[in-house]
Amino acid sequence: MIESNFIPVTKAAVSALGPENHGPIVFGKNPTDHMLQAVFSDNSWNSAEIVPFGNLMLSPLSLCLHYGQTVFEGFKAYRQAAGGVSIFRMEKHFQRINRSLYRMGMPELPERLFMQGIRQLVELEKDWVPLDLDASLYIRPFVFASEPKLGVKGANEYRFMVVCMPMGKYYDQNVRVKIETGFVRAVEGGTGGAKCGGNYAAAILPTQLANREGYDQLIWTDAIHHEYMEESGTMNLMFVIDGKLITPSLSGSILDGVTRDSILTIARDLGVPVEERKISYRELISAFEEGKEIEAFGVGTAAVISPIEKIGVNGRDYFPSVQEGCLFLTLKKQLQDIRTGLAPDRYGWNEIM
Ligand SMILES: *Cc1c(COP(=O)(O)O)cnc(C)c1O
């Protein structure tokens, strides 16, 4: 239930909402009118408020700018076929941001601040949720160290913020990926399971190098053997081999994706055999070399499912199936239908407001 007066609101004088925000939308640079913010100081979160979207004033000594204590989340609100707006699996994202914060030595967020704060913000920005059922309102909570005092240590001041932006209909675009066996993204015991900024910064150069070879993204392999596949870009990885849906098990170096969990749940319910286990790229290549039909795709909130049409490794390319009739298309449609209320939500994933 939404408590509409939980957080004080200062309304924007004018709205930036126009018809263009319901058409083709360039993602990432058209924020809604308001943002939520709160400050952690004296050992507690306080000063929560919803204010007009605007720039921040920060000291150049703010710790996040130097030592990288930053954590984020991403999830979506959808229009419902029967009217209304629903937020998808917010609680899972709340639990995950607190796990990320814990790993980064940052203060966890109170459930009420996160859940009620975001409900209230989305309620206020309801008109920004695109009318097209395939489009959505992207919700980006984040936390960073704002204490203005240099020195490598946990900060005693942090900011929590939530911004939202419309995201257009996602047109399926097949991706070409390269299996990376030199650089690593994460190692067990490291920060791969946390959604922290540094993981993404460290992935940029290896991705740029792969881009020059004609690949869009990397498939990261494990840090010890450089052999077991972990994730692709900012998505979890799935394969269909011999009718089985295979995904790397959560080892600590892989992010525990909510889309991953949703797709595995749907697949099991459809009677598809699911295996969560280590899978080496050599096993994948052997399956290709035996002439098997193989599907490969990434799953994550932003693009939902990204079909992989080409996988490069050690100078050779392999081509998974991406045509009609593939299992990933069935899984994707079922997930989208649950999110928009076109299929029954048997798992209680939608929070309709
Ligand atoms: C966010 C993210 C995912 C996908 O998680 P979802 O909860 O499905 O959006 C997968 N891998 C990485 C590295 C991520 O940052």
Side-chain angles (χ1 to χ4, degrees):
M1 279 303 101
I2 170 161
E3 298 170 62
S4 36
N5 299 316
F6 172 51
I7 291 177
V9 177
T10 306
K11 284 219 172 154
V14 287
S15 174
L17 180 62
E20 68 280 9
N21 295 113
H22 286 284
I25 303 157
V26 181
F27 174 71
K29 58 171 203 174
N30 295 302
T32 62
D33 297 323
H34 302 91
M35 60 187 189
L36 184 150
Q37 57 185 29
V39 180
F40 181 90
S41 59
D42 299 326
N43 281 312
S44 69
W45 285 104
N46 35 54
S47 316
E49 56 179 342
I50 291 174
V51 294
F53 184 94
N55 291 344
L56 299 175
M57 186 92 105
L58 280 180
S59 164
L61 303 182
S62 293
L63 286 177
C64 63
L65 301 176
H66 303 272
Y67 312 120
Q69 265 188 316
T70 67
V71 152
F72 67 97
E73 265 305 325
F75 52 100
K76 289 176 171 176
Y78 295 85
R79 283 216 184 253
Q80 297 295 287
V85 162
S86 146
I87 307 180
F88 190 74
R89 304 196 78 181
M90 176 161 59
E91 190 153 7
K92 279 283 243 194
H93 292 275
F94 166 65
Q95 291 159 354
R96 189 170 70 191
I97 199 171
N98 273 351
R99 290 199 302 276
S100 299
L101 288 167
Y102 174 76
R103 177 62 185 83
M104 301 307 290
M106 299 164 73
E108 291 171 32
L109 289 161
E111 179 166 353
R112 191 154 173 253
L113 171 61
F114 187 93
M115 305 277 283
Q116 289 296 348
I118 291 174
R119 282 181 195 127
Q120 209 179 315
L121 180 64
V122 172
E123 173 74 27
L124 187 66
E125 307 294 51
K126 236 177 182 171
D127 291 343
W128 283 86
V129 184
L131 298 169
D132 187 337
L133 292 188
D134 286 335
S136 57
L137 184 72
Y138 185 81
I139 303 164
R140 165 56 62 89
F142 55 106
V143 182
F144 57 92
S146 53
E147 183 188 349
K149 178 176 181 296
L150 291 188
V152 180
K153 62 169 185 72
N156 61 24
E157 188 194 290
Y158 293 88
R159 304 278 183 91
F160 167 51
M161 304 195 69
V162 185
V163 296
C164 304
M165 58 206 72
M167 190 165 187
K169 180 173 158 62
Y170 178 77
Y171 293 97
D172 272 329
Q173 212 176 23
N174 298 345
V175 294
R176 295 156 298 181
V177 300
K178 181 188 154 190
I179 296 180
E180 176 61 58
T181 53
F183 291 107
V184 296
R185 186 190 96 91
V187 59
E188 280 177 45
T191 59
K195 228 171 158 69
C196 62
N199 288 346
Y200 305 86
I204 290 172
L205 170 71
T207 308
Q208 285 171 336
L209 297 175
N211 292 158
R212 283 188 216 153
E213 296 174 52
Y215 299 97
D216 305 300
Q217 273 301 344
L218 294 175
I219 287 181
W220 297 103
T221 52
D222 75 281
I224 294 165
H225 308 95
H226 303 288
E227 180 152 345
Y228 296 101
M229 296 180 288
E230 300 222 310
E231 300 202 54
S232 176
T234 59
M235 303 186 105
N236 293 112
L237 256 183
M238 295 192 178
F239 300 96
V240 180
I241 306 175
D242 292 330
K244 286 184 240 156
L245 182 64
I246 304 169
T247 194
S249 35
L250 299 174
S251 58
S253 57
I254 292 177
L255 194 92
D256 182 358
V258 177
T259 316
R260 175 185 183 279
D261 181 77
S262 305
I263 292 286
L264 294 181
T265 303
I266 290 169
R268 289 190 174 106
D269 268 13
L270 291 174
V272 176
V274 169
E275 292 180 4
E276 291 182 66
R277 63 170 172 88
K278 286 191 174 188
I279 173 164
S280 71
Y281 74 79
R282 289 177 210 280
E283 175 183 344
L284 180 70
I285 289 171
S286 301
F288 276 113
E289 284 174 352
E290 286 164 33
K292 291 186 174 162
E293 282 278 301
I294 293 166
E295 293 177 38
F297 48 95
V299 303
T301 294
V304 188
I305 287 187
S306 249
I308 297 173
E309 65 174 19
K310 177 163 110 173
I311 301 179
V313 59
N314 300 337
R316 279 206 57 185
D317 287 325
Y318 299 87
F319 300 92
S321 314
V322 287
Q323 76 276 28
E324 247 175 87
C326 278
L327 177 64
F328 76 82
L329 292 167
T330 309
L331 297 170
K332 177 173 186 174
K333 178 161 193 319
Q334 182 62 9
L335 177 57
Q336 282 299 76
D337 285 354
I338 294 172
R339 283 172 160 166
T340 55
L342 288 168
D345 173 22
R346 291 194 287 118
Y347 319 105
W349 287 343
N350 292 325
E351 180 177 316
I352 296 170
M353 40 201 299

